[in-house]
Each structure stands twice: as structure tokens, then as C-alpha cells.
């Protein structure tokens, strides 16, 4: 898609509506966009390429956008193949084009591709600047947002931050190029959060470093590598990123995860949700870990301040979908949450102890209440225990 952003900056990104799972793991029912931008200054500068699946329309759009002009330079912000998958093909088609990238990105290029670009590479570092005519670009390294070779660049002339994966969102654009053309809470935020938590969530400290660097720049527009361009509401966007990267919840929500074989554990979890509701805690959501995609479960853990894990014992361990969720939350370095536990076991309940071991090994996690142990099904006489658990969660609001 070729769309003018400013008088000399063109959007060249491509929607991918055929992809089922981004990175072969995260469902993207509304697709994903691979964003690329072309600056038509004294020199022509391409910012990143696209995934190989979109190579054909991308090269066609690039040729059309360049017209009679040569491609002088490509800036590589990130070497992950969703952005650099067509980079080697580009450099073969445009043999005079120079490549601006970090030293680590140059090394990664050699890992991915056989083409030798040593003579064409212009390695930049933190604070390097390049002038292309009217525009001067400043390069800012952003290691681990989301790979170690990542940099972002800032167009000092127009105040545009090319932010690589940062501030990205799942979802194709279908011509709606700007974030202000979407409903923030209902349309953008859930997929922004799912993207952030799963793709970048592990790297809170590097994101904080990037936010500090960006705060020192007069940014008027953010052009990420996925999802819409931000020309309004930058404070709202950066507030979310700041919160998520500090692992601070967005509010007082309680998320209850269930891992139930025949429904008895699930029934107890639903009874807890009812008790919480009766106590005035209204933002309670319950997810079946066996039937909900892991990426949504992880995103919800980044949103909510209180998490309840209710799981059956299975093969003397934790019911597998719950075990997977806990491992993924730990892998994403989730921290600073209150949690409560419900375990079930018909002859040797053990999931509570194992869930506790996992959660207590994570940072700043605090358990509330006692572990509620079910033996096959919750008994009426356990209602007092359940109410006490709800009260313990509420008391920490
Ligand atoms: Fe969109 Fe880390 O690649």
C-alpha cells in the first residue's frame, strides 16, 4: 500500500491477512501489518522491508514510489525476518543501495543471508546522525526491544520516531493508517496489550530505557513496524508502555484462570468470582486455560493486579494448560501481582504446592489467603473457606 504520510514520507507497508499465527505461535485473527516507510529527500531512504510473504506487492509498491529515482539507502532497525525477510532480495535488486544498521545487525545479516554487504554497510551507533538532504536522522539504540541489534531512529526535521517493534499492534490496517482513526479502548488496546505482553513483555527494563531516551526527543509522530501510526495521543500510548514495562497493572481487575478436567475446579473458581462480585469487586474475568489462547491469558496477566490460579492435579503435577501458563508468565518476567490458589486432587492434591513454588520464585509476587484444597469437588462446608479467600483478595484492593 502506498500512502503519503508527509510531503516526502511514504508508507509502503503490507497487510498480511492470510497469516494464522504471528511468529508461528500467536493467533492474529485480524491479521498483521509489516510497516515500511520511504523517505524521498535529497537521497531516497527506505526504512525496513517486510516479511517474505509480502515481497511481491512490496517490491511493486517500492518501484512505483521511487519512480525514476534510485534507492540510495535502506535503514535496518530490526533484523527479525518479519521486517528483514526481503532485505537480501532488496539488496540484490538494488546493488547500489547502502545499508545503515548497527554492528550487531550487520552480524545478524551474515547469519541470515549469504550476500556479503561489508562494502555497502554503514554502521551507526548510539547518537550517530546522517543527513539525507532536508532531513537529518538520529539513531538511538534499543537493544532487546525486541532483539539485541535493534535501533530506532528519529527524524529531527519532522519530529518522527521510527520505533521498530516498540508501540506496535497486531491487526492489518486496510488503509486506516493512523491510530486516531480507531477506538482506543475497544479496538486498539486489547491487541496492543496482547502484542506488547507476548512480544516485548519480557524486556521491561530495556523498554524503560528506550522510553527515557524517547522522552528527551521532541516526538510528534511515531511510525512503528506493526500497526497504525501515532500522530495524536502519544501520551496515552507512552503511559501504557511505561506501565506495562514497569509491570504495573492497569487497574484493580481480578483474573481467574482455571485448569479443570471435569469442571469441579472450574465450579469452585466460578463460586469465588460470585463471592468477589458480592463483595463489590466487579471487574472479575474468568478464563479456562484449556480453551483460551495462551497469548490472551498472558496479556490479561499484564492488565490485572490480582490473579487466581485454580488447577487440578494431573500426573502428580499441575494440569498441563495451567502449567504452561505459569511457565509462560515466568518466562515473560511478570511480577508484582497478588495471587490466590485453588487446587484439586481426588487422591493426592499437589497442584497448589507446585503452583506456589512457581509463583513464589517470581519477583514481587504476594499470595493472599490460604490455598483452597478440593478433593474431587467443593463441599458445602468449604464455602466459609471460599468466602475467606474472597475477603483476603478484596482486603488488598
Ligand atoms: Fe516485528 Fe521483533 O519483529
Amino acid at each position: 500500500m502506498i500512502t503519503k504520510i508527509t510531503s516526502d514520507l511514504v508508507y509502503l507497508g503490507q497487510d498480511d491477512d492470510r497469516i494464522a499465527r504471528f511468529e508461528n505461535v500467536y493467533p492474529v485473527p485480524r491479521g498483521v501489518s509489516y510497516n515500511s516507510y520511504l523517505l524521498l529527500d535529497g537521497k531516497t531512504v527506505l526504512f525496513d522491508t517486510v516479511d517474505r510473504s509480502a515481497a511481491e506487492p512490496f517490491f511493486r509498491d517500492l518501484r512505483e514510489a521511487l519512480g525514476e529515482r534510485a534507492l540510495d539507502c535502506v535503514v535496518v532497525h530490526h533484523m527479525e525476518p518479519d521486517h528483514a525477510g526481503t532485505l537480501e532480495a532488496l539488496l540484490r535488486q538494488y546493488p547500489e543501495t547502502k545499508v545503515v544498521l548497527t554492528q550487531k545487525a550487520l552480524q545478524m545479516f551474515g547469519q541470515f543471508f549469504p550476500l556479503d554487504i561489508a562494502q555497502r554497510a554503514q554502521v551507526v551507533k548510539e547518537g550517530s546522525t546522517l543527513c539525507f538532504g532536508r532531513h537529518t536522522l538520529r539513531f538511538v539504540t534499543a537493544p532487546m526491544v525486541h532483539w539485541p541489534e535493534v535501533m530506532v531512529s528519529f527524524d529531527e526535521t519532522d519530529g518522527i520516531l521510527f520505533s521498530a517493534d516498540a508501540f506496535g499492534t497486531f491487526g492489518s490496517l486496510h488503509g486506516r493508517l493512523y491510530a486516531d482513526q480507531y477506538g482506543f479502548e475497544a479496538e486498539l488496546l486489547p491487541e496492543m496489550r496482547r502484542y506488547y505482553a507476548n512480544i516485548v513483555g519480557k524486556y521491561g527494563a530495556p523498554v524503560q530505557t528506550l522510553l527515557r531516551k524517547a522522552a528527551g526527543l521532541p516526538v510528534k509522530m511515531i511510525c512503528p513496524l506493526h500497526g497504525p501510526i501515532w500522530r495524536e495521543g502519544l501520551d496515552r500510548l507512552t503511559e501504557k508502555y511505561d506501565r506495562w514495562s514497569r509491570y504495573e497493572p492497569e487497574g484493580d481487575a481480578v483474573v481467574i484462570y482455571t485448569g479443570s478436567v471435569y469442571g469441579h475446579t472450574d465450579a469452585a473458581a466460578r463460586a469465588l468470582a460470585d463471592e468477589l462480585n458480592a463483595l463489590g469487586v466487579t471487574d472479575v474475568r474468568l478464563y479456562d486455560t484449556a480453551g483460551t489462547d495462551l497469548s490472551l491469558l498472558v496479556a490479561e496477566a499484564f492488565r490485572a493486579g490480582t490473579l487466581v490460579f485454580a488447577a487440578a492435579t494431573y500426573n502428580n503435577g499441575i494440569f498441563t494448560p495451567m502449567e504452561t501458563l505459569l511457565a509462560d508468565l515466568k518466562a515473560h518476567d511478570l511480577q508484582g501481582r497478588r495471587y490466590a490458589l485453588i487446587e484439586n486432587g481426588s487422591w493426592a492434591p499437589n497442584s497448589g504446592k507446585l503452583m506456589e513454588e512457581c509463583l513464589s520464585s517470581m519477583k514481587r509476587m504476594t499470595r493472599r489467603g490460604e490455598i483452597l484444597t478440593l478433593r474431587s469437588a467443593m463441599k458445602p462446608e468449604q464455602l466459609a473457606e471460599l468466602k475467606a479467600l474472597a475477603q483476603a483478595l478484596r482486603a488488598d484492593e
Side-chain angles (χ1 to χ4, degrees):
M1 184 172 84
I2 306 177
T3 308
K4 237 178 176 186
I5 299 169
T6 66
S7 59
D8 51 9
L9 183 67
V10 173
Y11 177 81
L12 276 188
Q14 303 293 327
D15 287 334
D16 188 346
D17 294 306
R18 294 177 62 83
I19 186 173
R21 289 178 179 271
F22 182 73
E23 291 189 359
N24 203 23
V25 62
Y26 307 114
V28 278
R30 285 162 38 201
V32 67
S33 71
Y34 312 116
N35 297 348
S36 170
Y37 306 90
L38 179 67
L39 181 66
L40 296 160
D41 200 359
K43 295 205 164 160
T44 57
V45 185
L46 181 68
F47 297 95
D48 301 290
T49 63
V50 296
D51 187 87
R52 271 190 306 183
S53 62
E56 193 180 326
F58 172 70
F59 283 121
R60 185 191 60 223
D61 288 351
L62 176 61
R63 279 192 299 275
E64 185 181 331
L66 282 170
E68 297 299 311
R69 299 190 66 179
L71 179 61
D72 296 307
C73 174
V74 56
V75 173
V76 179
H77 290 108
H78 186 12
M79 273 304 299
E80 194 164 8
D82 52 332
H83 311 294
T86 50
L87 183 57
E88 187 196 40
L90 176 95
L91 296 175
R92 289 189 189 276
Q93 284 190 38
Y94 296 89
E96 304 302 320
T97 301
K98 298 270 188 266
V99 192
V100 176
L101 72 184
T102 61
Q103 184 65 45
K104 276 200 174 71
L106 179 59
Q107 176 197 329
M108 276 192 189
F109 185 95
Q111 293 171 196
F112 277 109
F113 304 115
L115 185 69
D116 183 357
I117 59 166
Q119 301 308 313
R120 305 164 68 177
Q122 180 158 9
V123 171
V124 288
K125 298 177 180 170
E126 177 76 27
S128 297
T129 57
L130 287 175
C131 183
F132 299 107
R134 193 174 76 85
H135 294 261
T136 297
L137 234 69
R138 175 176 296 277
F139 299 97
V140 177
T141 59
M144 300 320 297
V145 187
H146 122 250
W147 279 15
E149 86 298 357
V150 171
M151 67 175 180
V152 302
S153 61
F154 182 62
D155 178 347
E156 295 184 335
T157 310
D158 282 352
I160 299 176
L161 180 68
F162 295 93
S163 63
D165 272 344
F167 308 117
T169 311
F170 289 137
S172 291
L173 299 177
H174 300 157
R176 272 198 298 171
L177 209 52
Y178 298 101
D180 50 89
Q181 296 170 317
Y182 298 73
F184 181 77
E185 293 284 337
E187 254 188 309
L188 279 182
L189 187 55
E191 288 295 79
M192 273 175 58
R193 184 188 300 112
R194 194 166 66 91
Y195 172 90
Y196 176 86
N198 289 279
I199 307 293
V200 199
K202 181 179 178 61
Y203 306 111
V207 171
Q208 279 286 307
T209 302
L210 177 59
L211 288 174
R212 278 195 293 276
K213 290 179 181 179
L217 301 170
V219 179
K220 293 183 189 151
M221 184 184 287
I222 295 177
C223 290
L225 285 176
H226 300 287
I229 294 165
W230 293 79
R231 61 184 176 183
E232 292 176 16
L234 302 192
D235 288 350
R236 191 158 55 166
L237 173 66
T238 51
E239 189 276 330
K240 288 293 180 198
Y241 259 66
D242 180 44
R243 186 177 288 276
W244 291 332
S245 55
R246 286 185 291 109
Y247 300 95
E248 293 296 323
E250 290 174 59
D252 295 330
V254 178
V255 165
I256 303 176
Y257 299 109
T258 71
S260 187
V261 185
Y262 290 105
H264 300 95
T265 313
D266 188 72
R270 286 174 192 279
L272 178 65
D274 290 345
E275 288 299 329
L276 285 165
N277 215 276
L279 290 172
V281 184
T282 52
D283 192 356
V284 180
R285 287 192 213 169
L286 187 144
Y287 295 95
D288 176 1
T289 56
T292 311
D293 189 79
L294 187 57
S295 66
L296 176 59
L297 302 178
V298 171
E300 283 292 83
F302 273 73
R303 181 180 68 86
T306 301
L307 309 175
V308 179
F309 301 89
T313 302
Y314 202 71
N315 291 330
N316 202 33
I318 306 167
F319 187 52
T320 319
M322 181 69 83
E323 185 178 38
T324 304
L325 169 64
L326 288 165
D328 216 29
L329 294 180
K330 187 169 176 171
H332 283 86
D333 206 20
L334 182 79
Q335 48 192 276
R337 296 296 187 271
R338 297 177 294 244
Y339 68 92
L341 298 171
I342 299 174
E343 67 173 351
N344 197 350
S346 290
W347 62 95
N350 196 33
S351 51
K353 178 176 135 261
L354 295 173
M355 290 192 289
E356 173 66 17
E357 278 174 15
C358 178
L359 289 158
S360 62
S361 71
M362 294 160 65
K363 296 170 196 151
R364 300 188 293 119
M365 303 292 274
T366 49
R367 203 184 85 220
R368 298 301 180 212
E370 299 300 318
I371 299 176
L372 177 62
T373 299
L374 313 177
R375 286 189 173 268
S376 304
M378 198 176 95
K379 300 288 177 290
E381 56 268 29
Q382 289 187 289
L383 189 59
E385 267 185 272
L386 191 81
K387 283 179 182 289
L389 190 55
Q391 197 69 48
L393 291 171
R394 179 177 179 255
D396 279 293
E397 279 181 2

